[in-house]
Amino acid sequence: MGTKENIQIQAIFFDLDDTLCATSDFSTQARFDALKAMINIGLKMDIEVLNTELKELIEEFTSNYPHHFDKLLLRIPESSYRGINKAVLVAAAVAAYHDAKHNYLKPYPDVLHFLQYIANIPILKGVITDGLEIKQAEKLIRLGIYPYFHPQAIFISDQIGFSKINSKTYIHICSSLGLSPHRTMYVGDHPMKDIDSANKAGLISVRIRREGKYKTLEGKTKACHEIQNLQELLQILEERYLGKEKNECLNI
Amino acid sequence: MGTKENIQIQAIFFDLDDTLCATSDFSTQARFDALKAMINIGLKMDIEVLNTELKELIEEFTSNYPHHFDKLLLRIPESSYRGINKAVLVAAAVAAYHDAKHNYLKPYPDVLHFLQYIANIPILKGVITDGLEIKQAEKLIRLGIYPYFHPQAIFISDQIGFSKINSKTYIHICSSLGLSPHRTMYVGDHPMKDIDSANKAGLISVRIRREGKYKTLEGKTKACHEIQNLQELLQILEERYLGKEKNECLNI
């Protein structure tokens, strides 16, 4: 991997959050909208104080915990929402959060162009993402990028019994699709889950440093390539991994 | 109740589903959209066959069961979605169902006018509904009708430990707000849960027969009033329940 010689790749996989879409930004904005909706219903609290409490709660219970707003009400003074039905407060927050999916959840501006470009190249295109299966699958649908990937090359950690922090994830996926790890590229933003693990499994790792929350975090190993956007990856692909000969088309 | 003499009412409560909004129509359309979304992703099934299966499933598991689409996939031939990630199919259905909330969930056309009219009348306005608390509360928010009700007069059966089929629901609510049942009006579409129960508790029951699924079902007792829309209720209120004297304003 990463030698000066051309390696014709068989497949390219992408991480989802903060690689193809600005999940961190989306979540920040969606949660803020949710808190504003609670205040509009009558909750008497300063939004910044609420936001700090919500951030702490998410640190404690993880971002995939399904009852953030119910829990938030337990943590703030009951006097701040006396006389208001708690379910209405929570529902207002949940509705605003869901609405934000329409308003803010978009692919990064370079993503569609990149996916359209590689659509005609006979390599397998897929997604490997950690997270809850319906939540991650919904992002693929809402972002409008699902059609660019092979239906059998969508891997969500919840479904496969591995998390990406374990390099076996990548070995398992390559093996199940008959791919050589050293001819498989993986693009992600997380230095350990995406880069260290993919490196350990022998993949061609590409670290993308956008504005996501892991931008400045460093892992144990260096990525084979480091980019700031997918436009840069196009050039790397053309120069190093997509020789003039056609790659074989995989039949899965 | 229902005498020829004027009774000055203290409060009016409404059922939600198929009284203030066309929930039956909405659900039918939203489920159909969800099935279409699955077919768009690649599910190979006739939509009518799928729809029949989904209807049966909902009969068996109730409409509030949270995993309709996962369960639906278990009931149809696996060959109809071979090679497609099940989470993507389910997510496509769920996303389409949620989107339908924006497109179809609206108050009946007479509702806002009616609520605006009674907004200036000093009686307590509330909602008594069976169902899941966040789901019902979300409807109040999305329909834009929440501001017309007193924040302490929103009752969702899940929160109060009674279902409307039990007349104690109405007695409990009147007692908790210091209302006389015979000066409290309840408007709903369900002959047993809304009318028989409200009658048994001594309320002024109003049956609304719109196009909802209980339109032709009959209960044990007759409602004090029967209407087809809220315009008709305005007239009844003016003639019988809102004399020229001001009603006392409740301080809760």
Side-chain angles (χ1 to χ4, degrees):
Chain A
M1 65 184 184
T3 69
K4 283 286 164 200
E5 316 234 332
N6 266 15
I7 298 168
Q8 295 216 338
I9 58 167
Q10 295 177 301
I12 182 166
F13 287 94
F14 299 87
D15 169 43
L16 189 49
D17 298 313
D18 291 330
T19 294
L20 299 181
C21 65
T23 316
S24 301
D25 291 353
F26 160 75
S27 304
T28 304
Q29 187 60 52
R31 286 176 193 139
F32 202 78
D33 283 9
L35 297 177
K36 271 196 287 186
M38 288 172 119
I39 289 169
N40 286 343
I41 290 296
L43 177 64
K44 285 184 180 56
M45 284 276 287
D46 179 79
I47 196 157
E48 292 301 341
V49 176
L50 267 181
N51 207 15
T52 305
E53 194 65 44
L54 181 61
K55 272 188 203 156
E56 274 182 31
L57 189 159
I58 291 168
E59 291 274 320
E60 292 164 39
F61 290 86
T62 82
S63 62
N64 284 328
Y65 179 75
H67 300 295
H68 289 150
F69 302 111
D70 312 58
K71 213 67 157 199
L72 182 64
L73 291 181
L74 294 176
R75 293 164 74 118
I76 61 178
E78 220 180 309
S79 59
S80 63
Y81 55 90
R82 190 162 290 144
I84 309 174
N85 192 306
K86 282 169 84 166
V88 174
L89 281 169
V90 173
V94 170
Y97 191 93
H98 283 300
D99 286 350
K101 288 186 190 166
H102 292 265
N103 302 333
Y104 310 120
L105 201 58
K106 303 267 189 271
Y108 282 111
D110 53 335
V111 169
L112 287 183
H113 174 256
F114 179 84
L115 292 176
Q116 280 156 4
Y117 180 87
I118 65 166
N120 297 319
I121 297 169
I123 54 173
L124 184 72
K125 296 108 194 169
V127 167
I128 306 174
T129 172
D130 270 1
L132 301 180
E133 54 176 346
I134 299 302
K135 204 168 164 183
Q136 296 308 90
E138 190 187 348
K139 283 179 203 159
L140 286 173
I141 301 290
R142 290 216 178 266
L143 294 168
I145 58 177
Y146 176 72
Y148 293 98
F149 301 107
H150 193 290
Q152 288 176 47
I154 309 286
F155 296 92
I156 304 170
S157 59
D158 244 19
Q159 296 183 312
I160 53 175
F162 292 105
S163 157
K164 292 196 299 182
I165 200 76
N166 186 344
S167 60
K168 284 185 189 164
T169 301
Y170 300 95
I171 295 167
H172 167 85
I173 289 169
C174 287
S175 152
S176 74
L177 296 174
L179 299 166
S180 309
H182 74 280
R183 295 178 66 195
T184 298
M185 183 175 271
Y186 187 65
V187 186
D189 71 308
H190 196 294
M192 283 80 96
K193 289 202 225 176
D194 295 328
I195 305 308
D196 286 345
S197 284
N199 282 345
K200 194 169 171 193
L203 275 69
I204 305 161
S205 61
V206 180
R207 176 158 185 187
I208 189 159
R209 286 198 203 243
R210 302 196 191 255
E211 292 305 314
K213 56 185 166 179
Y214 305 117
K215 189 182 177 186
T216 57
L217 191 64
E218 294 304 331
K220 287 187 195 154
T221 55
K222 285 273 166 212
C224 300
H225 301 282
E226 192 164 313
I227 56 173
Q228 290 186 295
N229 55 59
L230 293 176
Q231 192 59 36
E232 291 174 30
L233 184 57
L234 271 188
Q235 207 177 333
I236 294 170
L237 283 172
E238 280 174 4
E239 285 175 7
R240 303 280 301 277
Y241 299 101
L242 304 170
K244 282 181 182 170
E245 304 164 53
K246 284 259 179 199
N247 288 285
E248 68 265 43
C249 187
L250 290 166
N251 287 315
I252 67 163
Chain B
M1 63 184 187
T3 68
K4 284 287 165 198
E5 316 234 332
N6 267 16
I7 297 168
Q8 295 216 337
I9 59 168
Q10 295 177 302
I12 181 166
F13 287 94
F14 299 87
D15 170 41
L16 188 49
D17 299 311
D18 292 329
T19 295
L20 299 182
C21 65
T23 315
S24 301
D25 292 353
F26 159 74
S27 303
T28 304
Q29 187 61 51
R31 285 176 193 138
F32 202 76
D33 283 8
L35 298 176
K36 271 197 287 186
M38 290 173 118
I39 288 169
N40 287 343
I41 290 295
L43 177 64
K44 285 185 181 54
M45 284 276 287
D46 179 80
I47 196 158
E48 292 302 340
V49 176
L50 267 182
N51 206 14
T52 305
E53 195 64 45
L54 181 61
K55 273 187 201 155
E56 273 181 31
L57 189 158
I58 291 167
E59 291 274 320
E60 292 163 38
F61 291 86
T62 81
S63 62
N64 283 329
Y65 178 73
H67 300 294
H68 289 149
F69 302 110
D70 313 57
K71 213 65 157 203
L72 182 64
L73 291 181
L74 295 177
R75 294 163 72 118
I76 62 178
E78 220 180 308
S79 59
S80 62
Y81 55 90
R82 190 162 291 143
I84 310 173
N85 192 307
K86 283 168 82 166
V88 174
L89 281 169
V90 173
V94 170
Y97 191 93
H98 283 299
D99 287 350
K101 287 185 190 166
H102 291 264
N103 302 332
Y104 310 121
L105 201 57
K106 303 266 188 270
Y108 282 110
D110 53 333
V111 169
L112 287 183
H113 174 255
F114 178 85
L115 291 176
Q116 279 156 4
Y117 180 89
I118 65 166
N120 297 319
I121 297 169
I123 54 174
L124 184 72
K125 296 109 193 170
V127 166
I128 306 173
T129 173
D130 269 0
L132 303 181
E133 52 176 345
I134 299 300
K135 204 168 163 180
Q136 296 308 91
E138 190 188 346
K139 284 179 201 157
L140 287 172
I141 300 290
R142 292 218 177 265
L143 293 168
I145 57 178
Y146 175 73
Y148 293 99
F149 302 106
H150 193 290
Q152 287 176 47
I154 309 286
F155 296 91
I156 305 171
S157 59
D158 244 20
Q159 296 183 314
I160 53 175
F162 293 106
S163 156
K164 292 195 301 181
I165 201 75
N166 186 344
S167 60
K168 283 184 190 164
T169 301
Y170 301 96
I171 295 167
H172 168 86
I173 289 169
C174 287
S175 152
S176 73
L177 296 175
L179 299 165
S180 309
H182 74 280
R183 294 178 67 194
T184 298
M185 182 174 273
Y186 187 65
V187 186
D189 71 307
H190 195 295
M192 283 80 96
K193 288 203 228 178
D194 295 328
I195 305 307
D196 287 346
S197 284
N199 281 345
K200 194 169 170 193
L203 274 69
I204 305 161
S205 62
V206 180
R207 176 159 185 186
I208 189 159
R209 285 197 205 245
R210 302 197 192 252
E211 292 305 314
K213 56 185 168 180
Y214 305 117
K215 188 181 178 185
T216 57
L217 191 66
E218 294 304 332
K220 287 186 193 153
T221 55
K222 286 273 166 213
C224 301
H225 302 282
E226 192 162 312
I227 55 173
Q228 291 184 295
N229 55 58
L230 293 175
Q231 192 58 35
E232 290 174 33
L233 184 57
L234 271 188
Q235 206 176 335
I236 294 169
L237 282 172
E238 280 175 4
E239 286 175 5
R240 304 279 301 278
Y241 299 101
L242 304 169
K244 283 182 182 169
E245 304 166 54
K246 283 261 181 199
N247 289 283
E248 69 264 43
C249 187
L250 290 165
N251 287 315
I252 67 164

